[in-house]
Amino acid sequence: IIIVGAMLTSLVIAREYENGTMETIVSLPVGAIEFWAGKAIPYFFIALIDMLAAILMGQLLFGVVMKSSFWLMIVASAVYIGVALSIGLLISVKTKSQLVANQMAILLTYLPSLMLSDFVFPRENMPLVLRWLSNVVPATYYIDILNGLYLRHLGLAQLWSSFAVLLAMFAFLSLLNIH
């Protein structure tokens, strides 16, 4: 999800700057929210389809069955995709170069999500500094939700704190993008 969400969207606005079409877009009667949404919505649906395909393949090929609510998984994934899109668009706006945007997206999203989020290495075994740093990685909270939904049969009552952090990250990053 982070690859589609952050890495692909990090190239979207940077491409406009490199092609010289950003001046034309700025002159259009489109507000920041409409512009941001127009750039993010296609990638949102691509990432959502990827996530649904991964769930289906996990069930069909590997027999991995979700123990909790499918709809809670959809909501969690939608919020996480929103966070990933917001990070990607923010990188794209700040870098204005596709090469730099791609490298920044890898360094700021993909690698921390892979290494610091409890996906590969348990957070309990990390040094205190890395454990603290993992608290700002959105994938940490998404993986916590996935563990609760897939392995422990938890609901929103038990997972609300991870949802709240992801929603707060989405709101904060969206505000940064719009301004």
Side-chain angles (χ1 to χ4, degrees), residues 116-118 121-127 131-132 134-135 140:
L116 299 175
S117 66
D118 215 13
F121 302 109
R123 290 179 66 208
E124 300 85 41
N125 296 342
M126 293 180 190
R131 210 174 317 148
W132 177 81
S134 72
N135 288 328
T140 301

Side-chain angles (χ1 to χ4, degrees), residues 2 80 109-124 126 130-131 133-147:
I2 202 75
Y80 182 64
T109 61
Y110 181 68
L111 290 176
S113 295
L114 187 67
M115 306 298 276
L116 299 175
S117 66
D118 215 13
F119 181 67
V120 175
F121 302 109
R123 290 179 66 208
E124 300 85 41
M126 293 180 190
L130 291 179
R131 210 174 317 148
L133 187 60
S134 72
N135 288 328
V136 297
V137 176
T140 301
Y141 303 98
Y142 185 62
I143 288 175
D144 181 52
I145 293 169
L146 292 180
N147 284 334

Side-chain angles (χ1 to χ4, degrees), residues 39-53:
K39 293 293 186 182
I41 288 172
Y43 292 103
F44 176 83
F45 286 111
I46 291 170
L48 198 61
I49 290 168
D50 283 350
M51 185 269 312
L52 291 171

Side-chain angles (χ1 to χ4, degrees), residues 33-164:
I33 295 173
E34 292 89 3
F35 178 71
W36 185 86
K39 293 293 186 182
I41 288 172
Y43 292 103
F44 176 83
F45 286 111
I46 291 170
L48 198 61
I49 290 168
D50 283 350
M51 185 269 312
L52 291 171
I55 290 173
L56 183 64
M57 289 176 60
Q59 286 183 344
L60 294 177
L61 297 177
F62 302 109
V64 177
V65 179
M66 192 179 313
K67 293 185 178 183
S68 193
S69 170
F70 173 76
W71 296 109
L72 199 55
M73 170 69 174
I74 296 294
V75 171
S77 297
V79 174
Y80 182 64
I81 291 167
V83 171
L85 293 173
S86 298
I87 292 170
L89 289 173
L90 187 61
I91 290 170
S92 187
V93 166
K94 299 300 180 189
T95 59
K96 297 182 174 99
S97 162
Q98 290 185 72
L99 179 64
V100 175
N102 190 28
Q103 297 301 315
M104 291 291 292
I106 290 170
L107 288 175
L108 294 176
T109 61
Y110 181 68
L111 290 176
S113 295
L114 187 67
M115 306 298 276
L116 299 175
S117 66
D118 215 13
F119 181 67
V120 175
F121 302 109
R123 290 179 66 208
E124 300 85 41
N125 296 342
M126 293 180 190
L128 185 60
V129 173
L130 291 179
R131 210 174 317 148
W132 177 81
L133 187 60
S134 72
N135 288 328
V136 297
V137 176
T140 301
Y141 303 98
Y142 185 62
I143 288 175
D144 181 52
I145 293 169
L146 292 180
N147 284 334
L149 294 176
Y150 271 96
L151 302 175
R152 299 184 306 228
H153 193 58
L154 299 179
L156 186 59
Q158 295 86 13
L159 299 170
W160 70 269
S161 61
S162 293
F163 273 97

